[in-house]
């Protein structure tokens, strides 16, 4: 074989390889774009309907039972309702408190069973965590939660898919009081009120400092024309988004 023929073979081989690599890149991008940019893919709610002056306090409950009576009494004082995302292990030990929350007219959401990071779980594990919590809530209340708040805000596309298959919406937040870490009444108040706007989903926990700040927070909402409503009401007619705008 002549040197010219050998060079032609090498060039042809390289061209074939290049075409294959480009084709693989296109396929990969197409798959990724379907996942990332497909408007029909599942997404969580980071905020509610921004066209209405509704805000929602959301209490994630795995502990702090001793402060829930005070929180419920303060909410009753203002005649408002909130959403309580409960953990399955908490419900196991606090069924009567769960009933009190629900019978007071508040919304019950699902916060997983063992407070695991759902972005690290398989589809089966995601389903088990969510379904087990739904089941134990149903045992006590006869209702199945329609909202799921991933523990630590950790979720994956698998989490979103499983929640949707269970006819549930995945809920995140637009404001975080970080009350579990910063046990400071003034700081909690500031984080729950500063720059607040219609559609805000405000994350809190049953802590002593949150209870202390709650009266002032609700008074601020009232004085500034905001209605404190459950998350289910807040997200009506809202567009669920993959990140905060």
């Amino acid at each position: 074989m002549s040197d010219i023929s050998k060079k032609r073979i090498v060039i042809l081989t390289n061209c074939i390889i290049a075409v294959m690599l480009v084709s693989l890149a296109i396929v990969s991008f197409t798959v990724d774009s379907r996942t990332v940019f497909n408007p029909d893919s599942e997404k969580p709610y980071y905020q509610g309907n921004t066209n209405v002056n509704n805000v929602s306090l959301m209490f994630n409950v795995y502990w702090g039972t001793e402060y829930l009576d005070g929180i419920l009494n303060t909410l009753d004082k203002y005649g408002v309702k909130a959403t309580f995302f409960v953990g399955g292990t908490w419900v196991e030990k606090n069924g009567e408190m769960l009933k009190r929350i629900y019978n007071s007219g508040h919304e019950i959401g699902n916060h997983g069973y063992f407070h695991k990071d759902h972005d690290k779980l398989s589809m089966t594990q995601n389903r088990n965590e969510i379904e087990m919590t739904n089941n134990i809530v149903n045992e006590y209340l006869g209702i199945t939660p329609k909202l799921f708040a991933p523990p630590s805000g950790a979720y994956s596309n698998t989490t979103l898919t499983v929640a949707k298959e269970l006819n549930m919406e995945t809920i995140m937040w637009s404001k975080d009081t970080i009350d579990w870490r910063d046990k400071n009444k003034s700081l909690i108040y500031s984080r729950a009120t500063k720059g607040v706007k219609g559609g805000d989903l405000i994350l809190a926990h049953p802590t002593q400092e949150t209870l202390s700040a709650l009266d002032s927070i609700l008074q601020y909402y009232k004085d500034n024309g905001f209605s404190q409503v459950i998350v289910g009401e807040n997200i009506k007619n809202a567009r669920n988004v993959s990140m905060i705008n």
Side-chain angles (χ1 to χ4, degrees):
M1 182 181 296
S2 68
D3 290 340
I4 293 177
S5 298
K6 289 180 180 178
K7 287 181 181 180
R8 287 177 177 172
I9 292 174
V10 170
I11 292 172
L12 180 59
T13 302
N14 288 338
C15 288
I16 292 172
I17 292 172
V19 170
M20 291 176 63
L21 290 174
V22 170
S23 299
L24 286 172
I26 292 172
V27 170
S28 176
F29 176 78
T30 302
V31 171
D32 287 343
S33 13
R34 281 201 304 266
T35 302
V36 176
F37 301 112
N38 185 355
D40 297 325
S41 62
E42 304 307 334
K43 297 175 183 177
Y45 284 91
Y46 279 86
Q47 60 188 15
N49 188 346
T50 58
N51 296 317
V52 184
N53 276 348
N54 289 335
V55 295
S56 298
L57 283 168
M58 315 183 301
F59 296 93
N60 287 352
V61 185
Y62 267 91
W63 37 260
T65 309
E66 63 270 33
Y67 304 115
L68 286 173
D69 277 326
I71 288 172
L72 293 175
N73 291 339
T74 304
L75 292 168
D76 284 347
K77 173 183 174 180
Y78 285 86
V80 298
K81 307 304 178 185
T83 299
F84 292 80
F85 288 97
V86 297
T89 55
W90 179 84
V91 175
E92 279 184 354
K93 302 174 183 178
N94 298 280
E96 292 307 311
M97 177 56 75
L98 176 70
K99 288 179 181 179
R100 188 193 163 193
I101 295 171
Y102 179 68
N103 290 334
S104 296
H106 301 289
E107 184 175 42
I108 303 299
N110 183 320
H111 198 40
Y113 207 86
F114 292 108
H115 204 278
K116 295 183 176 181
D117 288 344
H118 279 245
D119 59 338
K120 298 181 176 65
L121 302 182
S122 67
M123 181 167 286
T124 298
Q125 291 170 326
N126 266 280
R127 184 179 296 277
N128 287 343
E129 280 286 307
I130 298 172
E131 280 194 321
M132 286 171 61
T133 305
N134 279 350
N135 290 341
I136 195 169
V137 168
N138 187 270
E139 286 178 20
Y140 281 100
L141 304 180
I143 59 106
T144 300
K146 296 299 182 183
L147 306 177
F148 171 62
S152 303
Y155 69 89
S156 65
N157 286 335
T158 298
T159 307
L160 299 176
T161 298
V162 169
K164 182 56 67 175
E165 288 176 354
L166 295 173
N167 297 313
M168 303 178 74
E169 299 291 352
T170 301
I171 307 298
M172 296 295 283
W173 60 85
S174 59
K175 287 188 176 297
D176 189 354
T177 62
I178 322 179
D179 50 0
W180 58 270
R181 186 191 71 189
D182 300 327
K183 302 184 184 304
N184 182 299
K185 174 183 175 181
S186 297
L187 196 55
I188 292 167
Y189 170 81
S190 176
R191 288 171 176 163
T193 59
K194 186 176 181 180
V196 69
K197 60 186 182 299
D200 270 336
L201 305 177
I202 301 148
L203 179 60
H205 300 79
T207 72
Q208 183 176 358
E209 293 76 19
T210 298
L211 172 56
S212 297
L214 185 57
D215 190 286
S216 297
I217 292 169
L218 293 174
Q219 187 64 51
Y220 179 92
Y221 296 159
K222 181 179 179 180
D223 291 344
N224 288 274
F226 293 99
S227 298
Q228 160 59 39
V229 301
I230 61 174
V231 172
E233 176 67 21
N234 203 341
I235 65 174
K236 284 182 180 179
N237 301 317
R239 180 176 63 90
N240 50 337
V241 296
S242 57
M243 64 185 65
I244 300 175
N245 291 327

